Amino acid sequence: MKKGILILISSMCFQLSAQETSLPTQISIDDAQKIRRHLALNYRIPTAAINDSIKIINYNITFTINEEGRIINPKIANNENSCTPCEKELLRVIKNAPTVTPAILNDQKIKLLYSLPFKITLD
């Protein structure tokens, strides 16, 4: 039986403390689309997930975009189902994402923490 795969990547956001309200509120639409496209084209559902009874996997990935626009320190912040091979694949793909425009504060490029919801639906 052939299984269909649907990967949904919703909008990106980031978390700030109360003192950091002057920071940018989100990355550019072009950069967000670049990351989404990279994930959609490069994420491969592990065979273990296809053969398992898992139908939907929701992840929240946190990562930092550094001063050079590279994604660093990606982590799975939460997930609804345990699928270690899926998590490893997701981290592999996000670590290899293309560079994006870093956040700028007071004319300086800065590191900033982002959060990305990621959903996999297997039918």
Side-chain angles (χ1 to χ4, degrees):
M1 175 173 79
K2 194 172 186 177
K3 294 190 176 202
I5 299 170
L6 174 65
I7 299 175
L8 300 173
I9 307 165
S10 57
S11 63
M12 299 181 72
C13 60
F14 67 93
Q15 305 163 352
L16 298 175
S17 68
Q19 299 93 346
E20 299 173 317
T21 56
S22 62
L23 291 175
T25 57
Q26 62 187 31
I27 66 172
S28 74
I29 292 171
D30 289 340
D31 285 339
Q33 288 176 346
K34 188 188 295 187
I35 293 170
R36 286 186 200 116
R37 188 172 30 254
H38 174 77
L39 287 170
L41 292 174
N42 293 288
Y43 185 85
R44 301 291 173 245
I45 304 291
T47 305
I50 294 172
N51 294 333
D52 202 349
S53 62
I54 297 172
K55 298 293 179 201
I56 297 174
I57 305 171
N58 288 305
Y59 290 110
N60 193 29
I61 313 157
T62 60
F63 54 88
T64 300
I65 296 179
N66 70 10
E67 298 90 338
E68 290 82 36
R70 303 285 313 158
I71 291 178
I72 59 171
N73 302 325
K75 294 180 175 69
I76 305 293
N78 65 339
N79 63 341
E80 292 181 0
N81 296 319
S82 179
C83 179
T84 303
C86 299
E87 293 171 15
K88 286 181 181 180
E89 174 65 1
L90 184 53
L91 291 172
R92 179 194 69 78
V93 173
I94 198 75
K95 285 178 185 177
N96 293 309
T99 57
V100 296
T101 305
I104 297 176
L105 179 63
N106 299 328
D107 295 325
Q108 296 280 348
K109 294 177 181 178
I110 61 168
K111 290 191 244 184
L112 198 57
L113 179 68
Y114 289 89
S115 178
L116 173 67
F118 185 80
K119 181 177 185 176
I120 302 167
T121 304
L122 302 170
D123 348 281

